[in-house]
Amino acid sequence: TYTGSILVAVNPYQLLPIYTADQIRLYTNKKIGEMPPHIFAIADNCYFNMQRNNRDQCCIISGESGAGKTESTKLILQFLAAISGQHSWIEQQVLEANPILEAFGNAKTIRNDNSSRFGKYIDIHFNKRGAIEGAKIEQYLLEKSRVCRQARDERNYHIFYCMLKGMTPEEKKKLGLGKATDYTYLTIGNCTVCDGRDDMKEYSNIRSAMKVLMFTDTENWEISKLMASILHMGNLRYEARTYDNLDACEVVRSTHLTTASTLLEVDGKDLMNCLTSRTLITRGETVSTPLSMEQALDVRDAFVKGIYGRLFVWIVEKINAAIYKPPSIEPKALRRSIGLLDIFGFENFTVNSFEQLCINFANENLQQFFVRHVFKLEQEEYNLEHINWQHIEFTDNQDALDMIALKPMNIISLIDEESKFPKGTDTTMLNKLNSQHKLNTNYIPPKNSYETQFGIQHFAGVVYYETRGFLEKNRDTLYGDIIQLVHSSKNKFIKQIFQADVAMFLCGYSPSSSVGLPASTLPKGAETRKRSPTLSSQFKRSLELLMRTLSVCQPFFVRCIKPNEYKKPMLFDRELCVRQLRYSGMMETIRIRRAGYPIRYTFVEFVDRYRVLMPGVKPAYKQEDLRGTCQRIAEAVLGRDDDWQMGKTKIFLKDHHDMLLEIERDKAITDKVILIQKVVRGFKDRSNFLKMRKSAMMIQKTWRGYQCRKNYGAMRAGFSRLQALVRSRKLYVTYHVARQRITSFQARCRGFLVRRAFRHRLWAVITIQAYTRGMIARRLYKRLKTEYHRRLEAEKMRLAEEAKLRNQMSAKRAKAEAERKHQERLAVLAKEDAEREKKEKEEARKKKEMVEQMEKARQEPVNDSDMVDKMFGFLGTTSSFPGQEGQAPAGFEDLERTHKELEVEDLDEALPLPEDDDEEDLSEYKFAKFAATYFQGSTTHTYVRRPLKQPLLFHDDEGDQLAALAVWITVLRFMGDLPEPKYHTAISDGSEKIPVMTKIYETLGKKTYKRELQALQGDGE
């Protein structure tokens, strides 16, 4: 549910189908309240507020351990990665960081199967387009003590169990590993299995995530070696000894010691000495003292915790190296961020130690941030702005925070101070705390001097802290022997993660004792002179930086609620939930959110953002009365009587007011955008049209120029050839010049005659047209006149009948009867006119059909045999007598009328020879000689079986040339050397009766014949 923009989420302890891609689409770009409450709605508003207000955002996810903070963080990350819309590699890397951090930093506790044992702040960076371009992860206070010991029914960190389940047998053999139940560090809590987790599958997910985040195979193997060495060192067994009345111990020799030294790449004896003795430098002398069995176990555990803690820091830095992109130095490169704070929840166990104090201190800070943001700043602003407001009382945890870390002599500073004293103990520290804070109402001292616990009244209730081990955990230092051992290791990876400690250790020597000595010859066990900062001071500094970061962001809150203590679904403990709501301040939050104004804008921001809702409102910098403008806009959109208020410099609104304003603004902007799009698209399309038209005109111009140049070139070449031909013929034969001149003169004369004939024909046509139009007009006039006279006559007849009928009946009836007969006569006349008109139309239609038939017959292909019959049909058949074969064709009628009797000749008689005494020389008349003299080109007297390219003899007229070539084609067809054309096949429409000569004449008259001739010549070649 919502309390304003604060989401209250109850952990269902089961997977629900409400976090799919469809749900992401449903909640994208929606205001809080438009859809049912959801973690995606908070993430969406966080994202769009960042883009809208151009301000960094943060989402603070708080709640007890097991309330669902880690899952909420992952869901917000999933939503932000989907909504940024890029689906890029960096988004995948940011998402894949979670499985790695959970494996190394989460564990099963009695309250939570996947409890975060460290805090993290994920800062996600977005570019100006709203796409993820990087992220940075800050980690806070990993619970290192869990590596060495766990409470009952709790597990160590997930990575150990995943590694032992997911590794191949060969890898486990190299590392000397077995089952989880074989290792002390994994069985202290008597729990090696976690219901609902598949460790083998999780290990494969971790390895694939490491590949995505650029972990090399070498680095993965080195991590596995360190993890294995931790497990082997946890299995070391000690035996107590006494040397010179001093408590001492020995490590029982076993394969675990050998394997651990091999994996750490250190000498086995050095490792054993480091774990059983301590080297001190006193007055320049090196003194080695044995450690008791209890001290040796503490040293071993400190070494293991140091390895795991530094390994975790290195993993976080490695992830940051992959996903963090430094900000651009360009001034226009704008980067905004959304921070997700997933930090350990409030904890209160049976035994609470130093880690719980730090965790609850962090939660006190977050609660104060929440209280300050929701109550203090809000009510202060209402008072400053003179808003009508009734003050709401709330629970302030500032006093507890002052006692723990803020005021002088606070608990953290006293613990730090005692940690710096060599002789400081947990008891002396507790005494100082009692003496300093026993009068503070938030501090609960021990009941007697034997108790080692003190209590603090936190915002979530009283927590009692066990002081044993406080100072050791706070110092968080490793003995110089351990640092020296790491320095002597041949393993580069362990040196890398201990780099800062080794550097500080080496810098701690005095110049007199270390000048000129190589690193390998430095005295063993020398303690550093420069102390490293305590764990509490580091944590306090990190929290201060975190609070500073959060204070400059616009915050969103997700309050996670745990429904029951048994981690079971569908079980709701009302008292537990109400207690969590009450101590987190949600009851007062509901009151202040209901009565308050969570949305507020300065007058300038309001006018600039919402002036689109009132036409004619100028930008804020051009106005003087901004307050009045804001009031007019609010009254126009929200109404006068609604619950919004005007302050001195700001306008205060409810959540639903902001939603209504945003919806109206979106509508107004959408209308303007559509208008701009329409104009821009019109301009764009017109620009494209003009560009295309210009291009088309350019193409047309270029093409026409090309065509003209091509035609000009062809004409010029033709004229050049013509000139050459004319000049050669002028030089060759002089009479050709005269013949050409005469031909030209004839052509001009013929042209003159043709033009004169054309003018005469034109005059004749115009005259015919004029007479025809006159005839038509006269006919029309005559018809109209006739019709007029008929109608006039009919009217006279009507009047006469009417006068006649008046004698027989009344005038009215006589008029009606005359009118009726008149109409009958008019109908008869109209019918006659219609019949005449119909007859004329029928005659015109028949004439038209006759003309169309004639035109169709003219256009039909000519049949050779029909044409011959038509031309020579008058000759009759071979059995008829000459001169009696039938009617002569057109133009030959005179031959039929003037018959001559043919002389009968004896055909058997031989023809008389010419009576010439002198024999004539016939060699002059040989065909070969004639062909060589007169035939054009390379044509000879021999018969060729293909069409000619040019006529055998020279012809001036193109028609004569075509006719000559056509005759040759006819000869070839007659001889069977050329196939008949396709249209010579018999057609059922009667065209087979068209005579051959008609086809020849029509063929010669068609322009298409030239193309057919060229095609045939090409085939012949």
Side-chain angles (χ1 to χ4, degrees), residues 79-363:
F79 183 86
L80 292 175
I83 202 176
S84 65
Q86 299 296 311
H87 306 295
S88 62
W89 180 246
I90 190 70
E91 290 173 10
Q92 188 64 28
Q93 286 181 316
V94 171
L95 292 176
E96 292 293 347
N98 262 320
I100 301 173
L101 293 175
E102 282 189 18
F104 285 89
N106 288 28
K108 177 186 181 297
T109 66
I110 55 173
R111 300 188 178 211
N112 186 359
D113 288 345
N114 189 31
S115 176
S116 297
R117 308 316 300 159
F118 72 106
K120 65 176 179 287
Y121 181 71
I122 306 174
D123 206 19
I124 306 161
H125 303 134
F126 297 83
N127 58 21
K128 61 182 178 182
R129 296 190 307 277
I132 294 177
E133 67 174 12
K136 190 173 184 182
I137 299 172
E138 295 286 344
Q139 60 86 23
Y140 303 100
L141 193 68
L142 177 72
E143 186 187 22
K144 292 181 284 189
S145 61
R146 180 167 291 274
V147 181
C148 305
R149 63 185 65 84
Q150 307 94 39
R152 186 169 181 79
D153 292 329
E154 291 190 356
R155 294 207 312 177
N156 208 321
Y157 289 106
H158 294 319
I159 185 63
F160 290 106
Y161 306 94
C162 294
M163 191 171 74
L164 293 174
K165 282 280 188 182
M167 274 188 167
T168 62
E170 292 79 11
E171 290 175 329
K172 289 169 75 172
K173 186 177 179 182
K174 288 180 183 178
L175 299 173
L177 295 176
K179 296 180 294 183
T181 53
D182 299 338
Y183 299 100
T184 307
Y185 280 163
L186 305 184
T187 55
I188 294 175
N190 291 328
C191 179
T192 57
V193 179
C194 179
D195 296 335
R197 283 188 69 87
D198 185 349
D199 291 326
M200 184 182 293
K201 185 179 177 184
E202 291 293 332
Y203 186 68
S204 65
N205 292 341
I206 294 163
R207 291 300 296 267
S208 63
M210 283 181 156
K211 285 183 180 177
V212 171
L213 285 160
M214 316 304 285
F215 284 76
T216 63
D217 291 338
T218 306
E219 288 170 341
N220 284 335
W221 182 246
E222 292 296 335
I223 291 171
S224 301
K225 282 169 65 177
L226 287 185
M227 304 294 288
S229 67
I230 288 173
L231 294 179
H232 286 299
M233 281 198 285
N235 277 13
L236 295 179
R237 296 286 175 267
Y238 289 83
E239 287 184 355
R241 294 281 189 273
T242 304
Y243 297 113
D244 298 331
N245 295 325
L246 292 173
D247 289 335
C249 65
E250 282 185 357
V251 178
V252 178
R253 287 203 170 269
S254 65
T255 55
H256 293 294
L257 179 64
T258 310
T259 309
S261 60
T262 304
L263 293 173
L264 295 174
E265 298 183 35
V266 297
D267 187 75
K269 290 182 179 179
D270 290 345
L271 178 60
M272 186 185 294
N273 292 335
C274 178
L275 296 177
T276 56
S277 64
R278 184 179 178 190
T279 305
L280 300 173
I281 299 176
T282 56
R283 296 179 183 178
E285 295 181 0
T286 303
V287 179
S288 178
T289 60
L291 297 174
S292 66
M293 190 168 170
E294 187 178 344
Q295 289 174 330
L297 289 172
D298 287 342
V299 168
R300 180 197 66 181
D301 290 348
F303 186 23
V304 166
K305 289 189 288 185
I307 291 174
Y308 194 83
R310 286 158 180 78
L311 174 62
F312 186 77
V313 171
W314 180 86
I315 287 171
V316 173
E317 289 174 352
K318 178 73 177 177
I319 291 172
N320 281 336
I323 64 176
Y324 179 65
K325 180 183 176 184
S328 175
I329 56 173
E330 297 177 13
K332 292 184 180 178
L334 183 67
R335 173 192 273 186
R336 287 294 168 212
S337 67
I338 295 177
L340 302 179
L341 180 63
D342 171 22
I343 205 161
F344 13 62
F346 182 80
E347 291 185 350
N348 187 3
F349 299 128
T350 309
V351 178
N352 300 293
S353 187
F354 180 72
E355 291 89 355
Q356 276 68 45
L357 176 64
C358 292
I359 286 170
N360 292 337
F361 168 50
N363 279 276

Side-chain angles (χ1 to χ4, degrees), residues 725 729 928 930-941 946 948-955:
L725 184 62
R729 288 184 182 274
F930 177 83
T933 306
Y934 295 105
F935 284 5
Q936 293 190 105
S938 60
T939 312
T940 62
H941 66 287
R946 61 175 182 273
L948 297 173
K949 292 184 180 179
Q950 56 187 353
L952 296 176
L953 300 176
F954 175 78
H955 298 284

Side-chain angles (χ1 to χ4, degrees), residues 578-713:
V578 170
R579 181 174 64 80
Q580 293 174 80
L581 288 172
R582 185 168 283 118
Y583 75 61
S584 62
M586 291 305 294
M587 301 302 187
E588 294 87 353
T589 304
I590 291 168
R591 286 169 56 203
I592 196 168
R593 284 293 181 182
R594 185 181 294 167
Y597 302 94
I599 309 299
R600 61 208 68 167
Y601 292 101
T602 64
F603 294 150
V604 173
E605 291 171 348
F606 189 82
V607 169
D608 283 338
R609 184 160 187 82
Y610 297 113
R611 68 187 182 88
V612 294
L613 300 178
M614 283 190 71
V617 176
K618 296 178 181 177
Y621 70 90
K622 291 185 178 180
Q623 294 200 25
E624 296 179 359
D625 183 17
L626 286 172
R627 193 175 192 280
T629 305
C630 289
Q631 192 157 357
R632 287 200 305 277
I633 294 172
E635 287 175 355
V637 180
L638 305 175
R640 290 174 177 270
D641 303 327
D642 214 341
D643 188 13
W644 52 271
Q645 294 199 41
M646 299 288 292
K648 291 171 68 178
T649 61
K650 293 182 180 179
I651 180 170
F652 292 80
L653 308 168
K654 300 279 189 184
D655 279 321
H656 66 275
H657 294 148
D658 184 56
M659 187 170 72
L660 179 61
L661 284 167
E662 284 298 316
I663 290 170
E664 293 299 323
R665 179 176 179 271
D666 286 347
K667 287 181 182 175
I669 289 178
T670 303
D671 293 341
K672 299 295 189 295
V673 166
I674 291 171
L675 179 63
I676 293 170
Q677 285 177 340
K678 184 173 71 173
V679 173
V680 169
R681 284 171 182 158
F683 170 75
K684 185 179 175 184
D685 289 345
R686 174 154 182 80
S687 300
N688 288 340
F689 166 73
L690 293 175
K691 187 177 178 181
M692 289 174 67
R693 189 173 75 173
K694 185 178 179 182
S695 302
M697 290 171 68
M698 176 63 72
I699 293 170
Q700 288 175 345
K701 182 177 73 174
T702 307
W703 174 251
R704 287 167 183 159
Y706 165 74
Q707 285 288 83
C708 288
R709 286 191 296 274
K710 183 179 177 183
N711 292 340
Y712 169 73

